[in-house]
Amino acid sequence: MDLRRLRAGEWITAACGVALLVSLFLPWYDAPRLTAWEALAALDVLLALVAACAVAFLLLTAGQRVPAVPIAFSVLVTYAGIAAVILVAGRALSLPDGAGGREWGLWLALAAAVGIVAGGLVGMRDERLSRPGELTDQAGSPVAAPPEIEDISAPRP
């Protein structure tokens, strides 16, 4: 696992995934203070899976030697984040029976879901293996100098 391979998209997605997971334990609705685990039927499990995928995106990128798999996984995480935004926005618009109002845990979940989408989009857009100006090989590992290109003369006819 090499943390030098991680770019901004992975960090944003993982941080928002942790925030989404934490928000499931915070109050979402008042009157009876309900957390997501108490107020949602199966959506809480789906949101926890989206949060786990967002954190797994960081771990997968740090563990891979080439960017192909993390970029493909960023597409899946982005789609999962879009689904999470729709699910949380739907719960923000429709209060459950007996709930008096919305609490800050719901808004944190919505912001975290939007952050997962944003981080996934940044991860898809940024296909480089290293920071600009750093010399790396094809796997993203730092190298001392760029490889020398040998000039070969054209064959004679």
Side-chain angles (χ1 to χ4, degrees):
M1 184 174 293
D2 188 5
L3 296 179
R4 293 176 296 183
R5 291 190 182 103
L6 298 175
R7 300 162 304 207
E10 288 86 5
W11 288 111
I12 293 169
T13 304
C16 291
V18 170
L20 178 61
L21 189 62
V22 167
S23 73
L24 295 176
F25 296 96
L26 298 174
W28 278 34
Y29 304 106
D30 60 357
R33 288 179 72 90
L34 298 173
T35 66
W37 296 108
E38 298 164 343
L40 307 177
L43 297 181
D44 53 356
V45 176
L46 292 174
L47 292 174
L49 287 174
V50 171
C53 287
V55 174
F57 179 42
L58 179 115
L59 300 173
L60 180 77
T61 302
Q64 291 292 318
R65 296 197 44 82
V66 294
V69 175
I71 290 172
F73 194 69
S74 71
V75 174
L76 298 176
V77 169
T78 303
Y79 282 134
I82 291 171
V85 168
I86 292 169
L87 293 174
V88 175
R91 295 307 293 182
L93 295 174
S94 172
L95 291 174
D97 294 335
R102 296 160 191 87
E103 287 286 332
W104 65 280
L106 175 66
W107 303 118
L108 176 63
L110 185 60
V114 170
I116 289 173
V117 174
L121 291 173
V122 169
M124 278 190 286
R125 184 176 168 264
D126 189 9
E127 295 183 14
R128 63 185 160 81
L129 293 173
S130 61
R131 293 184 183 98
E134 290 183 4
L135 299 175
T136 60
D137 61 5
Q138 291 181 347
S141 300
V143 294
E148 292 190 28
I149 299 173
E150 180 181 340
D151 291 333
I152 300 175
S153 58
R156 296 182 184 210

